[in-house]
Amino acid sequence: MRALVSNDDGIHSPGIEALERAAKAAGFETWVVAPDREQSATSHALTLTRPLRVVKTGERSWVVDGTPTDCVNLAICRILKDVRPDFVFSGINLGPNLGDDVTYSGTVAAAFEGTLLGVPSIAFSLDCRKDGGAGPDFSEAEKVAEEVIRLALSRPMAEDVLWNVNVPEGRPTGIRATRMGRRRYGESVVEKVDPRGRPYYWIGGSHVDTHSDGSDLTTVAEGLVSVTPLHLDLTAYRSLEDLAARLAGSRANGPDRS
Ligand code: MN
């Protein structure tokens, strides 16, 4: 079995090494295609306006001067064209991808891209904001990753569904299937003045979480591993009927009122 391993923190992140070890321990041959530098919060961006350069850095390892989505796309469509991976594993991200983080996340986007290209994919993130300056410890997250990868192997994952895995700090007390919670980055813009007297802005990391039973945010806050199944279809099905009813009375469908 082959696994494509990527991330959004770049090839030099200790998190990608931990994920490679976890995949190997679960029986995979690992192939790494990762960004050459940090690409956090690049979401599902695909680079279309400039060429991409790929540099081979090892027997089964390449870096790309692009986004996580570029990496997975290039890997599956070109670099590993003749050795198609059975899985895509992304991470282990330095920091959580909980609630609304998901839509910003490059880590999750790499798994989205794998899923879009028909390869079962899992994103892994570690809630490690409070590392106290000692650097993040990926050892527990590595064990969790191996366990989750084995679960993914036990029977086929649902088509078009990726798993978003978040590991709490320290030793997890359990593992739970969750739904996306609400995390808002509303008031986090910092305004300062540069050396030439012009204002500049920096979008910070402070956020407001809404806790609710069964959410990824609450589960990780309680010290458990959160696994959220994410679907590529973003349609709000509960609103479809209401929208259809509104449109039925609109000018497009109604009598000509001109
Ligand atoms: Mn990241």
Side-chain angles (χ1 to χ4, degrees):
M1 287 184 304
R2 277 183 294 269
L4 167 61
V5 182
S6 194
N7 73 350
D8 77 356
D9 294 331
I11 192 81
H12 301 297
S13 169
I16 198 167
E17 291 172 15
L19 185 51
E20 242 198 299
R21 285 193 299 270
K24 282 179 178 155
F28 282 87
E29 180 183 77
T30 56
W31 298 66
V32 176
V33 181
D36 62 359
R37 70 201 74 179
E38 181 169 357
Q39 293 282 341
S40 291
T42 52
S43 188
H44 198 191
L46 196 58
T47 302
L48 300 177
T49 53
R50 61 173 178 86
L52 291 165
R53 304 291 177 181
V54 178
V55 178
K56 198 168 196 287
T57 54
E59 195 194 338
R60 295 195 300 272
S61 170
W62 293 261
V63 292
V64 179
D65 63 342
T67 66
T69 299
D70 293 332
C71 291
V72 172
N73 190 287
L74 278 180
I76 293 174
C77 300
R78 177 62 58 154
I79 304 168
L80 309 185
K81 194 161 58 94
D82 302 321
V83 281
R84 189 174 168 85
D86 302 289
F87 274 87
V88 172
F89 302 132
S90 178
I92 301 170
N93 190 58
L94 234 161
N97 278 304
L98 295 164
D100 298 286
D101 291 340
V102 163
T103 58
Y104 300 104
S105 171
T107 306
V108 176
F112 262 122
E113 188 65 7
T115 309
L116 274 174
L117 296 173
V119 181
S121 302
I122 309 176
F124 297 92
S125 304
L126 172 63
D127 190 6
C128 58
R129 283 160 298 168
K130 297 163 277 181
D131 66 48
D137 178 3
F138 284 98
S139 56
E140 290 294 336
E142 185 179 323
K143 284 185 220 161
V144 168
E146 183 189 339
E147 188 185 335
V148 170
I149 290 168
R150 288 186 189 281
L151 286 172
L153 288 172
S154 63
R155 58 193 165 91
M157 288 169 64
E159 210 173 309
D160 290 341
V161 173
L162 67 95
W163 292 358
N164 182 35
V165 180
N166 280 276
V167 182
E169 281 199 295
R171 180 162 294 178
T173 54
I175 184 164
R176 187 186 284 161
T178 61
R179 57 183 172 74
M180 259 176 79
R182 291 315 308 263
R183 162 168 282 183
R184 293 253 167 84
Y185 289 88
E187 311 282 319
S188 59
V189 177
V190 174
E191 180 177 348
K192 299 219 181 226
V193 178
D194 76 10
R196 311 241 173 340
R198 295 168 305 189
Y200 68 87
Y201 303 89
W202 205 319
I203 299 173
S206 66
H207 49 74
V208 179
D209 295 346
T210 305
H211 282 285
S212 54
D213 280 351
S215 80
D216 51 1
L217 280 158
T218 303
T219 297
V220 168
E222 288 171 353
L224 285 85
V225 176
S226 159
V227 184
T228 312
L230 297 177
H231 201 281
L232 295 176
D233 180 352
L234 299 180
T235 309
Y237 284 96
R238 278 177 297 184
S239 295
L240 203 50
E241 210 173 304
D242 171 65
L243 181 61
R246 287 175 198 235
L247 296 183
S250 77
R251 185 146 65 168
N253 276 324
D256 188 358
R257 276 169 271 177
S258 60

